[in-house]
Amino acid sequence: MNLRRFFTRTQSAPAARDRLQLLLAHERASAGGSDLLAKLRDEILLAIAKHVQIDSDKVSVKMERGAQVSTLAVDIEIPFEAAAKKAA
Amino acid sequence: MGKVIVVTSGKGGVGKTTSSAALGAALAQGGDKVVVVDFDVGLRNLDLIMGAERRVVYDLVNVIQGEAKLAQALIRDKRVETLYLLPASQTRDKDNLTAEGVEKVISALKSVFDWVICDSPAGIERGATLAMRHADIAIVVTNPEVSSVRDSDRIIGLLDSKTLKAENGERMEKHLLLTRYDPARAERGDMLKVDDVLEILSIPLLGIIPESMEVLRASNLGTPVTLADERSVPAVAYFQAARRLKGEDLPITIPGERRGFFGKMFGRKAA
């Protein structure tokens, strides 16, 4: 290995420790049945399905579990017809 | 129609997940559309090795049980556009993997991707047999060590009897990937040599991946070895293995860590 690359590289073990701590905190919580993000995801989809017939191909869900903040993005295409029908 | 590869070994800890991620990334880096599927239900780790552990929304079991669409469970790699991951379930029982369910998922993936790489769990139970079931090509990951070679032999037997190809009387294409190889120790006579392993298992060699610090480093960072440092010795070995998978006839070289002055000094002392 090139010596300069060897000395200028940052350590990788701290990244491993941080990633594991974060992942395990989330996994331990979900093992105890309190995976809030998954619960929210399922309940949001249910709530919307009550009002609109959802085409499951038009649903995209993204989650990102963070140390301080996690994000949940639910992207649903609601056709104009379905929205109008329910309103009527 | 894409090709289905199973990465298998029987024995645990020999480098199946590392190799699945590295080969998948290498093929995708060349522009092919690749999905790597984790079959290790209950003990998933491919997500962690590929650095996608925080972004898992749905998994293979959710798709098989009809709780999510396949497209919703696929996670796109943030670094390579054409690389996707289908994670295993961490909390569900592996009995939820059904033969019919797996078949549906694999055939759907095959129609979209150039390569479907199935990362098998260790052992010879349900997860492992389902991972190999639909394969066109098998990569047997083996360490130059007695128990690993024995377990590989067992797995080769299963590949020739329990897969769809075998049951249809076709020949399963099998390749050996020798990992954690230390040329210096083999040279000293303290490690099985490449030819020893090849003679015992008698399947063609796909590549030799040297024992290397780069592999641990890449896993620490959650980056496939071929993405972490494209010029590192194991990365080059994986790139070559990927080219051979695509049909290129490359001569196999035994990768030696090219050591600088310090490397030579410390290398000697450590030995």
Side-chain angles (χ1 to χ4, degrees):
Chain A
M1 188 196 307
N2 185 318
L3 269 184
R4 187 192 288 162
R5 275 202 294 157
F6 184 80
F7 284 117
T8 54
R9 287 200 305 183
T10 52
Q11 294 181 341
S12 64
R17 188 196 55 226
D18 293 348
R19 291 173 63 223
L20 278 172
Q21 278 175 343
L22 175 59
L23 175 67
L24 294 182
H26 283 289
E27 282 194 349
R28 286 172 185 150
S30 66
S34 59
D35 186 358
L36 180 63
L37 215 53
K39 204 176 279 176
L40 287 173
R41 173 195 70 197
D42 294 343
E43 288 184 11
I44 287 171
L45 290 174
L46 273 176
I48 294 169
K50 248 189 243 171
H51 299 280
V52 189
Q53 173 109 39
I54 308 179
D55 178 353
S56 55
D57 286 325
K58 302 282 169 65
V59 179
S60 137
V61 185
K62 289 205 170 111
M63 306 201 299
E64 177 123 18
R65 298 165 199 273
Q68 307 301 324
V69 180
S70 292
T71 59
L72 168 67
V74 182
D75 195 333
I76 305 179
E77 265 184 44
I78 298 172
F80 180 70
E81 272 176 42
K85 219 179 270 173
K86 285 284 176 181
Chain B
M1 207 53 129
K3 285 252 164 85
V4 181
I5 300 178
V6 60
V7 178
T8 185
S9 71
K11 192 175 184 301
V14 296
K16 285 182 295 299
T17 301
T18 299
S19 299
S20 298
L23 288 172
L27 288 165
Q29 282 165 278
D32 288 3
K33 231 182 148 189
V34 182
V35 61
V36 194
V37 186
D38 192 345
F39 272 82
D40 205 345
V41 173
L43 287 171
R44 76 166 171 230
N45 272 319
L46 186 59
D47 56 333
L48 194 52
I49 295 302
M50 293 181 69
E53 72 279 2
R54 299 192 302 147
R55 297 194 289 135
V56 174
V57 183
Y58 296 112
D59 55 56
L60 178 60
V61 169
N62 289 138
V63 176
I64 287 178
Q65 305 272 300
E67 297 153 355
K69 289 274 175 168
L70 184 52
Q72 292 166 351
L74 291 173
I75 304 173
R76 186 191 215 151
D77 190 88
K78 285 196 165 166
R79 299 148 298 210
V80 186
E81 276 208 331
T82 53
L83 179 61
Y84 289 77
L85 161 71
L86 180 55
S89 171
Q90 185 69 332
T91 52
R92 307 284 282 269
D93 196 303
K94 60 177 178 296
D95 292 339
N96 287 308
L97 276 190
T98 60
E100 307 78 56
V102 169
E103 182 175 4
K104 265 192 205 160
V105 170
I106 297 289
S107 67
L109 290 173
K110 245 168 99 166
S111 64
V112 180
F113 290 93
D114 299 316
W115 302 94
V116 180
I117 301 181
C118 303
D119 181 21
S120 171
I124 50 172
E125 306 298 321
R126 190 186 186 82
T129 49
L130 280 176
M132 68 171 66
R133 180 109 191 118
H134 304 277
D136 300 307
I137 303 168
I139 297 176
V140 180
V141 182
T142 307
N143 292 167
E145 178 267 327
V146 288
S147 56
S148 174
V149 175
R150 178 206 207 170
D151 291 358
S152 293
D153 189 64
R154 184 83 201 279
I155 280 292
I156 290 170
L158 290 181
L159 288 166
D160 286 333
S161 61
K162 301 274 180 169
T163 53
L164 268 184
K165 279 219 161 205
E167 287 172 10
N168 292 337
E170 295 170 57
R171 213 183 60 71
M172 166 75 76
E173 188 183 329
K174 299 178 290 290
H175 298 277
L176 179 72
L177 189 65
L178 195 61
T179 56
R180 308 201 69 164
Y181 189 74
D182 186 334
R185 291 172 79 180
E187 203 43 58
R188 281 201 310 275
D190 284 328
M191 180 179 268
L192 285 169
K193 289 191 175 180
V194 178
D195 289 339
D196 298 333
V197 181
L198 282 176
E199 191 190 325
I200 295 167
L201 294 177
S202 58
I203 57 173
L205 187 59
L206 182 70
I208 304 166
I209 313 299
E211 173 78 62
S212 167
M213 296 195 336
E214 293 299 318
V215 176
L216 177 61
R217 187 183 148 77
S219 79
N220 282 341
L221 298 171
T223 314
V225 180
T226 52
L227 275 171
D229 180 351
E230 292 190 17
R231 290 182 301 168
S232 72
V233 181
V236 170
Y238 275 118
F239 277 121
Q240 288 180 354
R243 286 168 62 187
R244 286 186 201 106
L245 267 181
K246 296 193 71 169
E248 257 186 78
D249 186 18
L250 288 175
I252 300 231
T253 51
I254 297 180
E257 298 266 7
R258 263 167 290 133
R259 292 200 169 107
F261 174 66
F262 285 102
K264 270 183 189 144
M265 278 176 56
F266 295 130
R268 284 277 158 70
K269 266 183 200 160

